Amino acid sequence: MDRLVIIPTYNEKENVENIIQAVMNLPIEFHVLIIDDGSPDGTADIVKRLMAGSCKDRLFLVERAGKQGLGTAYICGFKWAIEHEYDFIFEMDADFSHNPQDLLKLYDACANQGADVSIGSRYITGVNVVNWPMGRVLMSYCASIYVRTVLGVDIHDTTAGFVCYRRQVLETIELDKIRFKGYAFQIEMKFTAHQCGFRIQEVPIIFVNRVLGTSKMSGGIFSEALLGVVRLKLSSWFRKYPQKA
């Protein structure tokens, strides 16, 4: 089996079963790894029930104590995926803001079109966001332009959280040197992959704001990302990045 979807969760009882089943029902086989940060609402119990039933041998769970940040959840998942020798590793949200059907497009970009990293992009063909307040759309869109300008990367959706990595990318990137834990983590991963010489391709998607559950986004998260970009650029001047083999 070569495809693993990593889904971090915190209080996602309204969504977790449906998102897992949606991935399981795709026409090609994906495995799912849930990284749950001690959700008090019983998210992990739902996952365990599915693991013992219809999703046996395709669904896996790592439970962590308390909220430790999105970035550390993904790093944990990446290391798990490398250890278990998956070839294509995906990031996806639990709340259906990312359409599970689009996993097929991300996979195709890496498996058949030569990409090392494929990004489900909200902005490669305009602004494809549904049900976000206009202020949030503008903040996100302008943040992506800012990041592209400061970092000098040709990526339209630098904060995207819907991504496919070839295993070689995650093995080459020095995961323990990834510093950011919030949404700046997404920027740092893409910039590091770029600096390591990997080919990045954006795939157009439509992003839909969650219907169930509570968003984890805040203005502070965007502030962290915007300030982090400057630090990331400055540190890159003094760092030697491992290169794609």
Side-chain angles (χ1 to χ4, degrees), residues 158-178:
T158 51
T159 60
F162 197 19
V163 185
C164 174
Y165 295 95
R166 284 182 173 272
R167 184 173 70 197
Q168 182 193 7
V169 179
L170 301 179
E171 289 176 330
T172 302
I173 288 175
E174 297 165 302
L175 292 174
D176 289 333
K177 291 186 178 181
I178 299 296

Side-chain angles (χ1 to χ4, degrees), residues 154-236:
D154 188 23
I155 301 171
H156 291 78
D157 196 350
T158 51
T159 60
F162 197 19
V163 185
C164 174
Y165 295 95
R166 284 182 173 272
R167 184 173 70 197
Q168 182 193 7
V169 179
L170 301 179
E171 289 176 330
T172 302
I173 288 175
E174 297 165 302
L175 292 174
D176 289 333
K177 291 186 178 181
I178 299 296
R179 298 183 305 167
F180 293 110
K181 295 183 178 181
Y183 279 78
F185 162 83
Q186 300 291 3
I187 300 169
E188 185 174 7
M189 284 293 297
K190 295 175 184 67
F191 179 67
T192 304
H194 173 269
Q195 293 295 95
C196 291
F198 289 103
R199 181 172 179 261
I200 300 172
Q201 179 176 332
E202 291 185 85
V203 175
I205 65 161
I206 296 175
F207 179 95
V208 181
N209 194 30
R210 70 160 63 231
V211 175
L212 299 174
T214 303
S215 173
K216 316 302 188 296
M217 183 67 73
S218 69
I221 286 171
F222 274 106
S223 298
E224 176 207 41
L226 294 178
L227 294 173
V229 166
V230 176
R231 297 201 301 272
L232 190 58
K233 182 64 175 181
L234 291 174
S235 67
S236 73

Side-chain angles (χ1 to χ4, degrees), residues 22-220:
V23 175
M24 297 294 173
N25 290 334
L26 291 171
I28 61 175
E29 185 173 317
F30 290 82
H31 289 185
V32 175
L33 172 64
I34 302 294
I35 310 288
D36 186 69
D37 273 6
S39 297
D41 71 346
T43 296
D45 293 332
I46 296 171
V47 177
K48 290 173 184 175
R49 172 172 55 80
L50 294 172
M51 290 172 65
S54 60
C55 300
K56 187 178 181 181
D57 301 326
R58 294 178 59 190
L59 175 62
F60 308 93
L61 171 68
V62 172
E63 293 184 85
R64 307 196 306 168
K67 294 182 72 174
Q68 299 180 42
L70 181 74
T72 66
Y74 275 126
I75 295 296
C76 173
F78 293 158
K79 291 180 177 180
W80 192 97
I82 291 169
E83 180 183 346
H84 290 82
E85 299 184 337
Y86 285 90
D87 293 323
F88 300 92
I89 298 99
F90 300 77
E91 299 180 2
M92 189 171 74
D93 290 348
D95 61 7
F96 284 94
S97 55
H98 303 141
N99 184 344
Q101 291 288 333
D102 288 333
L103 288 167
L104 301 173
K105 296 196 294 186
L106 295 181
Y107 174 67
D108 182 64
C110 285
N112 301 314
Q113 298 178 35
D116 299 306
V117 181
S118 59
I119 299 169
S121 177
R122 297 164 290 187
Y123 306 130
I124 188 66
T125 57
V127 179
N128 295 312
V129 177
V130 177
N131 292 337
W132 259 10
M134 182 55 66
R136 186 168 170 184
V137 173
L138 289 173
M139 183 166 57
S140 174
Y141 183 72
C142 291
S144 284
I145 294 174
Y146 167 80
V147 172
R148 287 177 67 197
T149 302
V150 172
L151 295 183
V153 294
D154 188 23
I155 301 171
H156 291 78
D157 196 350
T158 51
T159 60
F162 197 19
V163 185
C164 174
Y165 295 95
R166 284 182 173 272
R167 184 173 70 197
Q168 182 193 7
V169 179
L170 301 179
E171 289 176 330
T172 302
I173 288 175
E174 297 165 302
L175 292 174
D176 289 333
K177 291 186 178 181
I178 299 296
R179 298 183 305 167
F180 293 110
K181 295 183 178 181
Y183 279 78
F185 162 83
Q186 300 291 3
I187 300 169
E188 185 174 7
M189 284 293 297
K190 295 175 184 67
F191 179 67
T192 304
H194 173 269
Q195 293 295 95
C196 291
F198 289 103
R199 181 172 179 261
I200 300 172
Q201 179 176 332
E202 291 185 85
V203 175
I205 65 161
I206 296 175
F207 179 95
V208 181
N209 194 30
R210 70 160 63 231
V211 175
L212 299 174
T214 303
S215 173
K216 316 302 188 296
M217 183 67 73
S218 69

